[in-house]
Amino acid sequence: MVYYVIPTLSYMEPFEGANQQLLERTLDSIQKKFHRRVIVATDKDWALDYVKDMRVKGMPVSPEIVEQEGSYKDVLLDINSKMHMDGDDEFVMLSLEYPKRTYRNIRTAIQHYRKNPSAKNMLCRLPSKETPQKLLVETGDGRGEPLIEGEGQEWREEQFDDAFQHSHFVTITEISELPNLNSWLWNEDTIFFPIDIELTRVRTKDQLEE
Protein backbone atom coordinates (compact mmCIF):
# COMPACT_ATOMS: atom_id res chain seq x y z
CA MET A 1 0.00 0.00 0.00
CA VAL A 2 1.21 3.50 -0.86
CA TYR A 3 0.53 6.38 1.55
CA TYR A 4 1.05 10.02 0.63
CA VAL A 5 2.47 11.98 3.56
CA ILE A 6 2.42 15.76 3.80
CA PRO A 7 4.39 17.06 6.81
CA THR A 8 2.72 20.33 7.88
CA LEU A 9 4.72 21.51 10.87
CA SER A 10 5.13 24.98 12.29
CA TYR A 11 8.89 24.69 12.76
CA MET A 12 9.32 23.76 9.08
CA GLU A 13 7.24 26.71 7.85
CA PRO A 14 9.30 28.94 5.51
CA PHE A 15 7.60 32.10 6.80
CA GLU A 16 4.57 32.92 8.96
CA GLY A 17 1.28 31.95 7.33
CA ALA A 18 2.87 30.03 4.46
CA ASN A 19 1.80 26.53 5.45
CA GLN A 20 -1.92 27.14 4.92
CA GLN A 21 -1.46 28.09 1.26
CA LEU A 22 1.19 25.43 0.71
CA LEU A 23 -0.99 22.66 2.17
CA GLU A 24 -3.91 23.65 -0.02
CA ARG A 25 -1.76 23.56 -3.15
CA THR A 26 -0.10 20.29 -2.20
CA LEU A 27 -3.46 18.59 -1.66
CA ASP A 28 -4.65 19.94 -5.00
CA SER A 29 -1.71 18.18 -6.67
CA ILE A 30 -2.97 14.74 -5.56
CA GLN A 31 -5.85 13.19 -7.45
CA LYS A 32 -8.96 12.94 -5.28
CA LYS A 33 -9.23 9.20 -5.82
CA PHE A 34 -6.04 8.87 -3.72
CA HIS A 35 -7.16 11.17 -0.89
CA ARG A 36 -8.03 8.26 1.40
CA ARG A 37 -4.34 7.38 1.39
CA VAL A 38 -3.15 10.91 2.19
CA ILE A 39 -1.84 11.68 5.69
CA VAL A 40 -1.33 15.27 6.82
CA ALA A 41 1.07 15.08 9.78
CA THR A 42 0.81 18.30 11.74
CA ASP A 43 1.15 20.16 15.02
CA LYS A 44 -1.57 22.70 14.20
CA ASP A 45 -5.32 22.49 14.83
CA TRP A 46 -6.11 24.56 11.74
CA ALA A 47 -4.57 21.84 9.53
CA LEU A 48 -6.62 19.12 11.23
CA ASP A 49 -9.76 21.24 10.80
CA TYR A 50 -8.91 21.91 7.15
CA VAL A 51 -8.85 18.21 6.21
CA LYS A 52 -11.54 16.84 8.54
CA ASP A 53 -14.29 17.08 5.91
CA MET A 54 -12.09 15.56 3.21
CA ARG A 55 -11.18 11.92 2.81
CA VAL A 56 -7.69 12.95 3.95
CA LYS A 57 -6.41 11.74 7.33
CA GLY A 58 -5.16 14.43 9.68
CA MET A 59 -2.65 13.10 12.20
CA PRO A 60 -1.24 15.07 15.16
CA VAL A 61 2.52 14.67 15.44
CA SER A 62 3.73 13.52 18.86
CA PRO A 63 4.57 16.51 21.13
CA GLU A 64 8.12 15.31 21.82
CA ILE A 65 8.92 15.43 18.10
CA VAL A 66 7.59 18.97 17.84
CA GLU A 67 9.51 20.08 20.95
CA GLN A 68 12.76 18.69 19.50
CA GLU A 69 11.97 19.97 16.00
CA GLY A 70 12.27 16.44 14.70
CA SER A 71 13.38 15.44 11.22
CA TYR A 72 11.37 14.01 8.34
CA LYS A 73 12.51 10.58 9.48
CA ASP A 74 11.15 11.22 12.97
CA VAL A 75 7.79 12.24 11.53
CA LEU A 76 7.51 9.16 9.31
CA LEU A 77 8.49 6.82 12.15
CA ASP A 78 5.87 8.52 14.32
CA ILE A 79 3.18 7.90 11.71
CA ASN A 80 4.18 4.27 11.36
CA SER A 81 4.13 3.74 15.13
CA LYS A 82 0.52 4.93 15.24
CA MET A 83 -0.76 3.14 12.15
CA HIS A 84 1.20 -0.13 12.44
CA MET A 85 1.85 -0.43 8.72
CA ASP A 86 3.35 -3.42 6.95
CA GLY A 87 7.07 -3.41 6.23
CA ASP A 88 6.52 -3.40 2.47
CA ASP A 89 4.10 -0.46 2.58
CA GLU A 90 5.53 2.77 1.17
CA PHE A 91 5.48 6.45 2.02
CA VAL A 92 5.45 9.01 -0.77
CA MET A 93 6.41 12.16 1.11
CA LEU A 94 5.62 15.55 -0.39
CA SER A 95 7.39 18.53 1.14
CA LEU A 96 5.15 21.59 1.30
CA GLU A 97 7.77 23.88 -0.20
CA TYR A 98 7.03 22.99 -3.85
CA PRO A 99 3.58 24.41 -4.65
CA LYS A 100 4.06 24.08 -8.42
CA ARG A 101 4.49 20.31 -8.17
CA THR A 102 1.78 18.51 -10.16
CA TYR A 103 0.38 15.01 -9.98
CA ARG A 104 2.18 14.31 -13.22
CA ASN A 105 5.47 15.09 -11.45
CA ILE A 106 4.52 12.76 -8.59
CA ARG A 107 3.46 9.97 -10.94
CA THR A 108 6.65 10.24 -12.99
CA ALA A 109 8.76 9.99 -9.82
CA ILE A 110 6.84 6.89 -8.71
CA GLN A 111 7.33 5.31 -12.15
CA HIS A 112 11.08 5.95 -11.91
CA TYR A 113 11.13 4.26 -8.49
CA ARG A 114 9.19 1.25 -9.82
CA LYS A 115 11.76 0.77 -12.60
CA ASN A 116 14.33 -0.01 -9.88
CA PRO A 117 12.82 -3.09 -8.18
CA SER A 118 15.65 -3.44 -5.66
CA ALA A 119 15.26 0.17 -4.46
CA LYS A 120 13.74 0.84 -1.05
CA ASN A 121 14.30 4.58 -0.88
CA MET A 122 14.38 7.47 -3.35
CA LEU A 123 15.12 11.18 -3.21
CA CYS A 124 15.20 13.68 -6.06
CA ARG A 125 18.28 15.28 -7.55
CA LEU A 126 19.07 18.69 -9.00
CA PRO A 127 22.16 19.85 -10.88
CA SER A 128 24.69 21.51 -8.59
CA LYS A 129 25.67 25.07 -9.44
CA GLU A 130 28.76 24.84 -7.28
CA THR A 131 31.74 22.49 -7.03
CA PRO A 132 31.83 21.26 -3.39
CA GLN A 133 35.65 21.04 -3.41
CA LYS A 134 35.73 24.83 -3.85
CA LEU A 135 33.22 25.65 -1.10
CA LEU A 136 34.11 26.92 2.37
CA VAL A 137 32.13 27.41 5.56
CA GLU A 138 32.18 30.96 6.93
CA THR A 139 33.95 31.02 10.31
CA GLY A 140 33.94 34.78 10.90
CA ASP A 141 36.58 37.51 10.78
CA GLY A 142 36.95 37.04 7.03
CA ARG A 143 38.00 33.40 7.43
CA GLY A 144 36.58 30.08 6.30
CA GLU A 145 37.08 26.31 6.47
CA PRO A 146 36.87 24.04 3.40
CA LEU A 147 34.03 21.55 3.18
CA ILE A 148 36.46 19.02 1.68
CA GLU A 149 39.96 19.35 3.11
CA GLY A 150 42.86 19.32 0.65
CA GLU A 151 40.78 19.02 -2.53
CA GLY A 152 40.39 22.64 -3.60
CA GLN A 153 43.17 23.06 -6.15
CA GLU A 154 41.48 24.91 -9.02
CA TRP A 155 43.97 23.59 -11.54
CA ARG A 156 42.60 20.07 -10.80
CA GLU A 157 38.98 21.12 -11.24
CA GLU A 158 38.46 18.88 -14.27
CA GLN A 159 39.33 15.90 -12.05
CA PHE A 160 36.66 16.65 -9.43
CA ASP A 161 33.79 14.18 -9.22
CA ASP A 162 30.46 15.34 -10.61
CA ALA A 163 28.13 16.61 -7.90
CA PHE A 164 24.40 17.17 -7.55
CA GLN A 165 21.98 18.47 -4.92
CA HIS A 166 19.35 16.35 -3.20
CA SER A 167 15.74 17.48 -2.97
CA HIS A 168 12.60 16.36 -1.11
CA PHE A 169 10.43 17.34 -4.09
CA VAL A 170 9.15 13.74 -4.02
CA THR A 171 10.56 11.24 -1.51
CA ILE A 172 9.66 7.56 -1.53
CA THR A 173 10.63 5.06 1.14
CA GLU A 174 9.61 1.55 2.10
CA ILE A 175 8.56 1.34 5.73
CA SER A 176 11.10 -1.39 6.49
CA GLU A 177 13.93 0.87 5.26
CA LEU A 178 13.15 3.82 7.55
CA PRO A 179 15.39 2.70 10.47
CA ASN A 180 18.33 2.46 8.05
CA LEU A 181 18.06 6.05 6.81
CA ASN A 182 19.64 9.19 8.20
CA SER A 183 17.62 12.18 9.40
CA TRP A 184 17.04 13.54 5.89
CA LEU A 185 16.09 10.12 4.51
CA TRP A 186 19.29 9.02 2.78
CA ASN A 187 21.64 6.06 2.91
CA GLU A 188 24.17 4.54 0.51
CA ASP A 189 21.47 2.53 -1.24
CA THR A 190 19.24 5.53 -1.94
CA ILE A 191 18.43 6.10 -5.61
CA PHE A 192 17.77 9.53 -7.10
CA PHE A 193 15.14 10.79 -9.50
CA PRO A 194 16.48 13.57 -11.77
CA ILE A 195 14.26 16.65 -11.87
CA ASP A 196 14.12 18.03 -15.39
CA ILE A 197 11.81 21.00 -14.77
CA GLU A 198 12.49 24.49 -13.47
CA LEU A 199 12.02 24.16 -9.74
CA THR A 200 11.40 26.77 -7.06
CA ARG A 201 11.61 25.80 -3.40
CA VAL A 202 9.48 28.40 -1.62
CA ARG A 203 11.28 30.25 1.15
CA THR A 204 9.81 33.77 0.75
CA LYS A 205 6.43 35.43 0.13
CA ASP A 206 7.56 36.59 -3.30
CA GLN A 207 8.37 33.02 -4.33
CA LEU A 208 4.95 31.82 -3.15
CA GLU A 209 3.18 34.53 -5.13
CA GLU A 210 5.05 33.85 -8.38
Side-chain angles (χ1 to χ4, degrees), residues 5-192:
V5 178
I6 307 174
T8 307
L9 295 154
S10 55
Y11 61 86
M12 294 183 181
E13 190 169 36
F15 56 88
E16 187 176 356
N19 276 359
Q20 296 188 41
Q21 294 184 61
L22 292 170
L23 177 59
E24 180 180 356
R25 295 194 194 183
T26 302
L27 286 169
D28 285 346
S29 72
I30 304 172
Q31 292 185 350
K32 289 186 178 181
K33 65 181 180 180
F34 296 124
H35 275 193
R36 288 187 177 181
R37 288 192 261 155
V38 174
I39 301 167
V40 174
T42 186
D43 60 340
K44 289 296 183 181
D45 289 339
W46 67 258
L48 298 174
D49 291 339
Y50 182 76
V51 302
K52 69 180 181 180
D53 293 327
M54 303 179 182
R55 294 179 177 180
V56 172
K57 182 177 182 61
M59 180 174 292
V61 173
S62 297
E64 58 269 22
I65 292 178
V66 178
E67 291 171 6
Q68 298 171 10
E69 297 191 351
S71 65
Y72 282 140
K73 177 181 177 178
D74 295 326
V75 173
L76 296 183
L77 287 171
D78 187 51
I79 294 171
N80 183 46
S81 71
K82 294 171 180 175
M83 295 188 65
H84 307 291
M85 297 166 173
D86 294 331
D88 59 355
D89 286 340
E90 294 163 336
F91 285 139
V92 175
M93 192 190 76
L94 305 173
S95 169
L96 284 182
E97 299 164 304
Y98 302 98
K100 294 184 178 180
R101 177 181 45 220
T102 66
Y103 183 71
R104 182 178 180 181
N105 300 144
I106 299 169
R107 183 184 61 194
T108 303
I110 294 173
Q111 289 172 343
H112 179 83
Y113 180 76
R114 295 282 180 246
K115 290 177 181 177
N116 295 269
S118 64
K120 293 186 177 182
N121 186 60
M122 187 187 82
L123 295 168
C124 292
R125 62 181 287 169
L126 294 166
S128 177
K129 297 179 181 179
E130 304 292 343
T131 302
Q133 289 87 345
K134 296 173 67 175
L135 295 178
L136 291 88
V137 177
E138 184 71 52
T139 58
D141 297 324
R143 295 178 173 82
E145 294 182 355
L147 284 176
I148 301 178
E149 186 70 37
E151 296 291 340
Q153 303 95 328
E154 288 187 302
W155 56 274
R156 287 185 174 175
E157 190 167 347
E158 71 281 354
Q159 300 175 24
F160 294 162
D161 292 333
D162 292 336
F164 60 88
Q165 299 179 48
H166 80 274
S167 167
H168 292 102
F169 182 67
V170 179
T171 303
I172 304 175
T173 187
E174 187 175 291
I175 304 297
S176 64
E177 188 71 358
L178 271 173
N180 304 322
L181 303 177
N182 71 1
S183 61
W184 49 273
L185 304 175
W186 172 88
N187 66 19
E188 292 182 354
D189 295 320
T190 298
I191 66 169
F192 288 86

